[in-house]
Amino acid sequence: MSTYRVAQVPAMGAPFEIVEREVPRPGPRHVRIAVEACGICHSDNFFVTAGLPGITFPVVPGHEIAGRIEELGEGIEDWGWGIGDRVGVGWFGGSCGHCKPCRQGDFIVCENARTPGWTYDGGFGAQVIAPVDALARIPDGLTSADAAPLGCAGVTTFNGLRRSPAEPGDLVAVVGLGGLGHLGVKYAVAMGFETVAVARGAEKADFAKQLGAHHYVDSTASTPVAEALQSLGGAKVVLATAGNSPAISAAVDGLAPRGELVVIGIDAEPLDISPFQLLMGAREVRGHPSGTAQDVQDTMEFSALHGIRPTIETVPLEEAGAAYQKMMDGAARFRMVLTYD
């Protein structure tokens, strides 16, 4: 019997454990992936704490997967995939194809959406069975460790910007310089936006400039964030990557007329935004979910073309528990990535 290793959480509140499982076979319209790297995302916390409906234990999290196809299931002959192909699977782990959003082609808001680590075992294991519609092709210019975080952190920031109303030359502010924000700044610069990084503390100014930001706003300074953005002409778009509702709310008045706040950072606390703030400037607020497999592939190809890579720290699967805790403690700089022998 052939086996593989997984890092699983056996019960809610329990620590990670490494166990051996029998290697599964892919069913129709699925493939088996030999995982080479898997990013650790803050959203994994929703799974290991049963913070989302339908969670069953043991849980194998991980929705930033990069690896190679090892086995093909039936019914995918016309999809163009072959054994050995390098593929990624992100937050978007497949769609039903029959709900109304799917029939309208809006697969990312599928009413029966699938996500690795939630609806099936994720990438905290050396093997993953994934639906064929979840696969994104990894370009040769990216290593698996660099490609993995682009399946969630990368595509979310990339898509949030490219689907915004900003055009090259417009002022775009990125709130937060963490796992999402550091990529958001790089993408904003590469897309031709006049880029403002917003974060806590004057000491982060040099890092923001290293990422390519044209301006830095210290949110702890005496000048309010909104006032600082207006002094630069007002932001066409504020990409809110920080999981901090007060920090997001503080940037709203920094939007130019008809500017857009794109929220991708998660916080349970409500945003403090009044109708007056939106109406007087004809401003918009939009939540942006991740992206489909094609969006992930677009993100990786754009990243390879422009030399954009996430800042990562790689650790072996056996240290998954410690790596996850480092991420939860806010000590990761900036994406923890599991690697496999």
Side-chain angles (χ1 to χ4, degrees), residues 121-233:
D121 287 344
F124 281 34
Q127 303 281 336
V128 164
I129 301 292
V132 66
D133 63 323
L135 304 180
R137 195 175 299 277
I138 299 175
D140 292 338
L142 292 177
T143 67
S144 292
D146 284 336
L150 302 184
C152 183
V155 69
T156 304
T157 52
F158 177 78
N159 253 4
L161 289 169
R162 75 165 172 170
R163 301 192 187 282
S164 77
E167 298 180 351
D170 284 341
L171 190 76
V172 169
V174 178
V175 178
L177 281 180
L180 293 171
H182 86 287
L183 284 168
V185 170
K186 291 183 178 183
Y187 287 134
V189 172
M191 291 178 185
F193 305 139
E194 183 180 352
T195 304
V196 187
V198 181
R200 293 178 56 86
E203 70 280 358
K204 294 180 182 178
D206 287 342
F207 177 61
K209 294 297 177 66
Q210 291 171 16
L211 294 174
H214 303 98
H215 312 279
Y216 177 72
V217 173
D218 176 8
S219 62
T220 66
S222 58
T223 302
V225 170
E227 185 177 329
L229 293 178
Q230 288 296 344
S231 72
L232 294 169

Side-chain angles (χ1 to χ4, degrees), residues 63-307:
H63 56 270
E64 294 184 341
I65 301 165
R68 295 180 184 272
I69 295 176
E70 279 200 336
E71 186 176 359
L72 303 173
E74 297 178 356
I76 61 173
E77 295 80 8
D78 296 331
W79 285 75
W81 297 107
I83 303 298
D85 285 351
R86 301 183 67 219
V87 295
V89 180
W91 175 271
F92 176 82
S95 56
C96 71
H98 59 75
C99 69
K100 186 173 182 179
C102 282
R103 287 170 62 85
Q104 294 173 330
D106 199 0
F107 302 107
I108 192 60
V109 289
C110 169
E111 295 173 358
N112 305 291
R114 308 187 70 191
T115 299
W118 182 3
T119 55
Y120 57 90
D121 287 344
F124 281 34
Q127 303 281 336
V128 164
I129 301 292
V132 66
D133 63 323
L135 304 180
R137 195 175 299 277
I138 299 175
D140 292 338
L142 292 177
T143 67
S144 292
D146 284 336
L150 302 184
C152 183
V155 69
T156 304
T157 52
F158 177 78
N159 253 4
L161 289 169
R162 75 165 172 170
R163 301 192 187 282
S164 77
E167 298 180 351
D170 284 341
L171 190 76
V172 169
V174 178
V175 178
L177 281 180
L180 293 171
H182 86 287
L183 284 168
V185 170
K186 291 183 178 183
Y187 287 134
V189 172
M191 291 178 185
F193 305 139
E194 183 180 352
T195 304
V196 187
V198 181
R200 293 178 56 86
E203 70 280 358
K204 294 180 182 178
D206 287 342
F207 177 61
K209 294 297 177 66
Q210 291 171 16
L211 294 174
H214 303 98
H215 312 279
Y216 177 72
V217 173
D218 176 8
S219 62
T220 66
S222 58
T223 302
V225 170
E227 185 177 329
L229 293 178
Q230 288 296 344
S231 72
L232 294 169
K236 183 68 174 181
V237 168
V238 170
L239 182 70
T241 73
N244 184 305
S245 291
I248 297 171
S249 302
V252 172
D253 282 335
L255 286 167
R258 300 198 180 278
E260 183 175 272
L261 172 66
V262 181
V263 180
I264 60 175
I266 298 177
D267 188 358
E269 183 177 341
L271 295 173
D272 183 12
I273 302 173
S274 73
F276 183 84
Q277 288 175 284
L278 302 179
L279 289 170
M280 296 307 292
R283 295 161 172 154
E284 297 183 11
V285 178
R286 177 169 62 91
H288 178 78
S290 184
T292 65
Q294 184 60 55
D295 293 325
V296 172
Q297 188 164 315
D298 291 347
T299 302
M300 292 192 291
E301 290 173 351
F302 185 90
S303 300
L305 179 65
H306 290 274

